[in-house]
Amino acid sequence: MSEPQPDPAADLQLRAPAPHDLLALAEEVAALHRSLERLAHADHLERLLKLIPRPGWTTPAEYELVRGSVAHMQMHVRALHDAQAALLRGAQLVGGRSH
């Protein structure tokens, strides 16, 4: 039986937009950070690595489905990494500051 998985968006409580609410923005960024930390510490991929070498674990079709899923997930990780870097670069330029 699998354990219940945490909802990655559980910490992010979307509210009606508040004008220039920096505290709310900081809370949303912190919630995103916690979600990414939980994802990084999840053991799903370690468990998958233990399944792969088992004899007869997968057919060629299942192999392709798993391989495609892994490639798709890696693409999302790269996109998140790039988005984080772009967000930080842009934020550093706000107000003419470049720290």
Side-chain angles (χ1 to χ4, degrees):
M1 177 170 269
S2 67
E3 58 193 59
Q5 299 303 316
D7 178 2
D11 287 337
L12 182 60
Q13 298 177 1
L14 298 178
R15 331 174 193 150
H20 209 81
D21 188 346
L22 296 180
L23 180 58
L25 179 59
E27 289 172 358
E28 291 177 17
V29 171
L32 175 60
H33 186 257
R34 286 189 302 273
S35 293
L36 290 171
E37 280 183 330
R38 275 195 310 276
L39 180 63
H41 290 99
D43 69 345
H44 299 95
L45 297 178
E46 290 171 6
R47 291 165 49 194
L48 177 61
L49 286 170
K50 291 176 184 175
L51 295 174
I52 290 173
R54 292 186 352 200
W57 175 71
T58 186
T59 65
E62 292 163 341
Y63 168 85
E64 188 57 31
L65 288 171
V66 172
R67 191 207 58 76
S69 293
V70 170
H72 194 217
M73 291 171 69
Q74 184 62 36
M75 180 183 67
H76 281 284
V77 169
R78 280 192 297 270
L80 281 169
H81 200 41
D82 291 349
Q84 269 189 314
L87 175 62
L88 183 58
R89 282 192 308 272
Q92 288 173 330
L93 294 173
V94 171
R97 294 181 221 131
S98 58
H99 297 100

